Amino acid sequence: MDSSGQKYQDYKTLLITIGAPWYQAWWVIALEVLAAMSLIWAIIWMRTKAVSRQKDKLKILISERTKELHLAYNKERQLNARLAEEIDQRISFNRALVHELKTPLTPMIATSELMVHLYKDEPIRGFAGNVLDGSLALNKRIDELLDVAKSETGMLSINKRKMNLSKLGQDMYTYLLPRFGNNGVHFSYDNGGQEVFINADKERIKQVLLNLLDNAAKHTKTDDTVVLSVWQEASQAFISVKDSGEGIPKEQQAAIFETYTSAKKRLTKYDGLGIGLYLVHKIVTKHDGTIIVKSAKGAGCEFIVTLPTGSKG
């Protein structure tokens, strides 16, 4: 518009074009993509190399460990073979030893028994009785040593059958009553009027009773009491041997079921090798049972055996 308000008849148009920034140029973008791809490739290559190196290290480590395990296996196999050989030798030696000891002992027992029955006059009858008692005690020790060897090698056998525990208790009472009576000890048996049956090895349970009662005989004196009891509660059978003897000190009770405890920690009247209670514990354990002791020095002692009445194994 001019000053008079008229439009200019003659004018020109100026076209200005603004281009994109240089960093948005195609060649810049292409370089950026190429750089990113190169970086990704470099990372992948470095990771691959690292994994490869780690894999090589693992191969070497596995190889070394395999060699060590192979050597350890061979060594263990040699030790097991040597141990098995030593166990076989020990078993063979013990059997041979038992045979050699029992061979001369058998006629001694038979002869002394015959002399006790034939000779009624003293002192010959007393001498024969001493020989018989000594021979029977030695025979018992030999059997115990063999059983210890069997238990230590896992060969202590248990043949379970249904048996009358009450009847066995009565038999043991009748058998040992003269021994306790001769020592002035009051011995009694109580089964509470029950007939208790268990599934067990009769000879082994008899061995348990003999050892526990023998232990009571060693630690009682004139006018003391020993009570053998058998009873049942639910599916559990119980055997108790209780005496009013010298008792066992608290600090020694934890070790009484170990082998040779009597020799290592001798009490006032303990004799033998101290393997009787060890065998009792082993036999009871083999029957899936337990044994505990309740005692104090000078306050008597009670051994309580618990056995399952049902069939196992």
Side-chain angles (χ1 to χ4, degrees), residues 8-64:
Y8 287 110
Q9 297 297 321
D10 186 15
Y11 59 87
K12 293 182 180 179
T13 301
L14 177 62
L15 179 63
I16 300 174
T17 302
I18 301 175
W22 65 269
Y23 53 82
Q24 291 184 353
W26 65 268
W27 54 271
V28 175
I29 295 175
L31 288 175
E32 290 175 349
V33 171
L34 183 60
M37 294 178 62
S38 298
L39 179 60
I40 294 172
W41 179 85
I43 292 173
I44 294 173
W45 180 82
M46 291 174 64
R47 292 291 297 170
T48 302
K49 294 295 290 185
V51 171
S52 179
R53 285 194 299 269
Q54 188 66 23
K55 186 177 179 181
D56 292 339
K57 289 181 181 179
L58 286 174
K59 285 182 179 179
I60 296 172
L61 183 61
I62 291 172
S63 178
E64 292 175 351

Side-chain angles (χ1 to χ4, degrees), residues 107-283:
M108 289 176 60
I109 294 174
T111 303
S112 57
E113 284 180 337
L114 181 61
M115 292 177 65
V116 168
H117 285 88
L118 290 179
Y119 294 99
K120 305 300 180 182
D121 298 329
E122 299 294 345
I124 296 179
R125 180 182 175 85
F127 294 155
N130 290 338
V131 173
L132 177 60
D133 291 342
S135 299
L136 291 175
L138 181 58
N139 188 62
K140 182 174 182 291
R141 294 289 180 266
I142 294 171
D143 290 336
E144 285 180 345
L145 286 172
L146 182 60
D147 284 337
V148 167
K150 288 180 178 179
S151 69
E152 291 177 345
T153 56
M155 297 182 64
L156 186 65
S157 61
I158 299 294
N159 300 310
K160 295 181 180 181
R161 297 288 188 276
K162 186 177 181 180
M163 56 163 287
N164 189 330
L165 183 60
S166 302
K167 177 66 166 56
L168 180 61
Q170 180 66 50
D171 291 344
M172 292 299 97
Y173 168 74
T174 303
Y175 175 68
L176 292 171
L177 182 59
R179 176 183 177 184
F180 285 103
N182 291 337
N183 294 333
V185 176
H186 305 286
F187 182 39
S188 61
Y189 171 63
D190 178 24
N191 71 342
Q194 291 180 300
E195 286 292 313
V196 181
F197 291 89
I198 61 174
N199 192 49
D201 188 318
K202 182 178 179 179
E203 291 303 313
R204 293 299 184 187
I205 299 301
K206 179 179 178 181
Q207 192 174 359
V208 167
L209 291 175
L210 285 174
N211 274 294
L212 291 178
L213 291 169
D214 180 66
N215 183 74
K218 291 175 183 177
H219 305 293
T220 50
K221 56 186 183 299
T222 302
D223 290 331
D224 279 338
T225 60
V226 175
V227 180
L228 169 63
S229 303
V230 172
W231 73 96
Q232 180 177 345
E233 295 178 9
S235 60
Q236 300 290 322
F238 295 87
I239 301 170
S240 168
V241 175
K242 186 176 183 179
D243 66 66
S244 61
E246 61 191 33
I248 304 173
K250 291 286 186 181
E251 64 273 12
Q252 295 183 1
Q253 292 179 19
I256 61 174
F257 297 116
E258 299 176 2
T259 50
Y260 318 119
T261 294
S262 176
K264 293 185 295 183
K265 298 182 178 179
R266 185 173 294 276
L267 302 178
T268 55
K269 298 196 315 180
Y270 273 85
D271 58 0
L273 294 176
I275 59 179
L277 292 178
Y278 168 81
L279 283 175
V280 167
H281 181 266
K282 285 293 183 182
I283 292 171

Side-chain angles (χ1 to χ4, degrees), residues 68-80:
E68 292 175 1
L69 289 173
H70 185 69
L71 291 173
Y73 170 76
N74 287 334
K75 185 177 181 179
E76 183 179 0
R77 186 172 60 178
Q78 293 173 0
L79 290 174
N80 286 335

